[in-house]
Amino acid sequence: MMEKVQDVMVYPEVDIEMNVQGKVYISFIVEKDGSVSNVEVERGVSSTIDREAKRIVKSFPNWKPGENAYGKVRTRVRLPLNFVLSL
């Protein structure tokens, strides 16, 4: 999954110029049908990096939904995304 994130990540130009790096903690709901909804930034780095993190999560294909004894259920997922500039 992290390889896919790296493939679709577009580091914001303004953050490259300002040398802004960090880890964005993002949460979302995996619905019963596997779709992603309610994408929220729990702890961000900058507004442009946070916006890019939300875009990446919204572009994910459907996930395998959570299950319990009664069947498929909505599940909250928390995901850290690293934004690091390469030298």
Side-chain angles (χ1 to χ4, degrees), residues 9-22:
M9 182 184 292
V10 178
Y11 213 101
E13 282 296 320
V14 68
D15 294 312
I16 292 172
E17 293 171 9
M18 299 296 289
N19 197 29
V20 177
Q21 303 180 78

Side-chain angles (χ1 to χ4, degrees), residues 59-86:
S59 74
F60 284 162
N62 282 356
W63 288 54
K64 184 177 176 184
E67 293 186 29
N68 66 14
Y70 304 105
K72 295 179 180 177
V73 294
R74 296 175 78 213
T75 308
R76 175 169 296 281
V77 177
R78 289 183 177 94
L79 183 68
L81 294 176
N82 263 334
F83 283 80
V84 180
L85 292 169
S86 302

